[in-house]
Amino acid sequence: MKSNSWYEIADTSSINSPSLLVYPERIEENIRAMITISGSVSNLRPHIKTHKMKEVVQMQQRHGIQKFKCATIAEAELLGECEAEDILLAMQPVANNINRFFQLMRTFPKSRFSTLVDNEFTLSEIAAKAFKNNTIATLYLDINSGMNRTGCFPNENAAALYIAMENNPNIQAMGFHSYDGHLHHSAINERTTLCDAAFESVINLKNVIKKQGIIVPNIIAGGSPTFAIHAKRSGVEASPGTTLLWDARYAKLFPEMPFIPAAVLLIRVLSKPAENILCFDLGHKSVAAEMTFPRVNILGLEDAEQISQSEEHLVVQTTRADEYEVGDTCYAIPVHICPTVAKYEEVITVSDGRVTGSWKVAARNQTINI
């Protein structure tokens, strides 16, 4: 391990392991890079699902960002507490979450809340609830751009649904939401070609609706992998999320993107059970484990092979095992940062090699108050 590296802490004796460290100055660099790519904060709607922290929201607000995207009611509530001006709940609410959505509107009147629909039933449920509450619900039509997770295909049925939104007195139709999370191709030229092809159908739908005399005022598109592509489009808000903290997977897949890791796991050697084997205190409970190995990039030990993991342990094989003793501190960048953050109640903030405090991961659970 290199000494005096950007991620190292001078004194780790009082820090529990595993812990998640964040580096505010590096987050700030990523925010500046996001704004540079988007050209203007007006074209930017960052997703908060990666960090779920008030302090990171407020950092973005200080840079003039006031439009945000989130995935849960708790995340939307956190944004309301930050008095964000424009908040999109980018997961179609169903059942009691529809009631909670309207409760958000009542609880945080300084913020404008919107959400998604992709079918007639949910539209009718939200419209009925808006009528009952004597209010107007702001909605985006969720478009399936090829990921086949949510959204409606951009065809005549989608056009009819949007027109129904436009014509409902208790609904304000704000435009389209199109997430192309299936486009992870590393080569930027290939990713751009596929992204443009997927987005063409969204534009075609907009034009079909325009022929009916209805203007689609806004389109929210993409995530981190296609952020820079959508950022070049006129009348489109790009919505990156991972860009704020970055992770080892995206750094490897998208080397052309200017973002830097801003979150690191502090872990320790727990045991040396056999020759060339190290066991770290980093199990499924402490890092995202839904993907194949590797789960982390262990800094200074990149050549180690991660061979097994259980609830509390990560076992690696390395010819350099003799260089490490039980209790030694190591640092690791998660391969998937978003679900990793949600495993921690708080993160430790680090600046210039020293612990400066901690931030609560306030929206890690399904509820805060609402």
Side-chain angles (χ1 to χ4, degrees), residues 67-252:
K67 293 184 289 189
F68 295 92
K69 181 173 163 180
C70 60
T72 68
I73 299 290
E75 291 170 6
E77 182 175 351
L78 176 65
L79 287 164
E81 291 175 351
C82 293
E83 297 187 354
E85 293 176 5
D86 192 330
I87 302 165
L88 171 64
L89 176 64
M91 190 159 74
Q92 180 170 243
V94 296
N96 190 49
N97 278 346
I98 295 177
N99 298 324
R100 296 173 72 201
F101 175 72
F102 281 92
Q103 190 175 346
L104 285 168
M105 295 168 63
R106 293 191 298 270
T107 305
F108 303 104
K110 292 183 179 180
S111 299
R112 176 180 184 174
F113 290 91
S114 57
T115 190
L116 310 177
V117 294
D118 68 4
N119 66 90
E120 294 178 3
F121 175 77
T122 305
L123 173 59
S124 65
E125 290 277 293
I126 293 176
K129 185 67 65 174
F131 176 78
K132 183 177 180 181
N133 285 270
N134 192 29
T135 190
I136 294 174
T138 302
L139 300 181
Y140 286 80
L141 182 65
D142 194 20
I143 304 295
N144 182 354
S145 297
M147 192 174 185
N148 296 331
R149 186 175 69 180
T150 65
C152 53
F153 289 111
N155 54 26
E156 63 276 6
N157 293 329
L161 184 58
Y162 191 85
I163 293 169
M165 291 166 54
E166 178 74 20
N167 291 334
N168 192 299
N170 289 103
I171 299 297
Q172 181 176 15
M174 280 299 295
F176 300 157
H177 171 267
S178 175
Y179 179 63
D180 47 18
H182 58 298
L183 302 178
H184 287 119
H185 303 75
S186 184
I188 182 61
N189 292 339
E190 182 181 9
R191 199 178 339 133
T192 300
T193 298
L194 294 170
C195 179
D196 289 344
F199 193 72
E200 184 179 2
S201 62
V202 177
I203 295 300
N204 289 340
L205 178 62
K206 179 180 179 180
N207 292 333
V208 167
I209 294 172
K210 184 177 181 180
K211 291 179 181 178
Q212 301 296 316
I214 297 173
I215 301 298
V216 176
N218 192 29
I219 298 175
I220 300 169
S224 296
T226 55
F227 166 44
I229 302 167
H230 289 300
K232 297 177 182 178
R233 309 189 198 279
S234 176
V236 173
E237 293 177 4
S239 54
T242 306
T243 49
L244 287 153
L245 299 181
W246 214 226
D247 59 27
R249 179 174 64 132
Y250 276 8
K252 182 178 180 180

Side-chain angles (χ1 to χ4, degrees), residues 49 51-53 72 74-75 78 285 338-346 360-368:
K49 66 168 184 165
H51 59 84
K52 303 175 186 286
M53 287 178 269
T72 68
E75 291 170 6
L78 176 65
K285 295 176 181 177
C338 307
T340 297
V341 172
K343 293 177 179 289
Y344 293 84
E345 293 185 5
E346 65 177 17
K360 183 179 180 181
V361 185
R364 68 187 292 260
N365 296 323
Q366 286 298 311
T367 60
I368 298 177

